[in-house]
Amino acid sequence: KIGEALQINTSIQTLDVSHNRMSDVGAAAISECLKTNNTLQELNISKNEITNNSLMKIGEALQLNTSLQILDVSHIRISDDGAAAISECLKKNNTLHELKM
């Protein structure tokens, strides 16, 4: 539900959903909103139960996102594939300037 709301929201600039036991379902919803939301500037999804599949989806979404400046994915078990997906987005995303892993 939060992902759907963020797709149309035009005022929220910071979203902190850390420590929420968020799974891949929640992370997938957030990754979808990142494709279209142009007001969110800071996203903290640290310390959740997100897998590398979700990190790859978030990385793909960030290639399209034009507003996010700070992303915190710290304290999540990231494999080489997850890190590669995030680093790939950095090649195309020119607004993200702070990444916490």
Side-chain angles (χ1 to χ4, degrees):
K1 303 250 179 195
I2 195 164
E4 292 173 12
L6 285 172
Q7 285 183 324
I8 58 172
N9 184 281
T10 58
S11 61
I12 298 289
Q13 295 180 342
T14 301
L15 178 63
D16 185 341
V17 289
S18 61
H19 300 277
N20 276 293
R21 295 186 192 177
M22 182 172 41
S23 68
D24 286 340
V25 173
I30 288 176
S31 71
E32 281 303 308
C33 96
L34 288 174
K35 292 178 183 178
T36 57
N37 180 289
N38 61 3
T39 56
L40 191 64
Q41 297 176 4
E42 183 175 350
L43 175 61
N44 183 346
I45 55 172
S46 67
K47 299 177 184 173
N48 278 297
E49 299 170 5
I50 299 168
T51 67
N52 284 297
N53 288 336
S54 289
L55 288 175
M56 288 189 277
K57 288 179 183 176
I58 289 170
E60 291 169 8
L62 287 174
Q63 292 181 32
L64 304 173
N65 184 276
T66 59
S67 64
L68 199 69
Q69 297 174 18
I70 300 169
L71 175 63
D72 188 343
V73 292
S74 61
H75 303 283
I76 295 175
R77 292 183 185 146
I78 300 175
S79 72
D80 291 343
D81 290 340
I86 296 294
S87 66
E88 191 63 32
C89 90
L90 297 175
K91 294 178 183 176
K92 297 181 180 169
N93 180 301
N94 61 2
T95 56
L96 192 68
H97 65 81
E98 186 173 334
L99 175 62
K100 300 174 186 177
M101 294 181 79

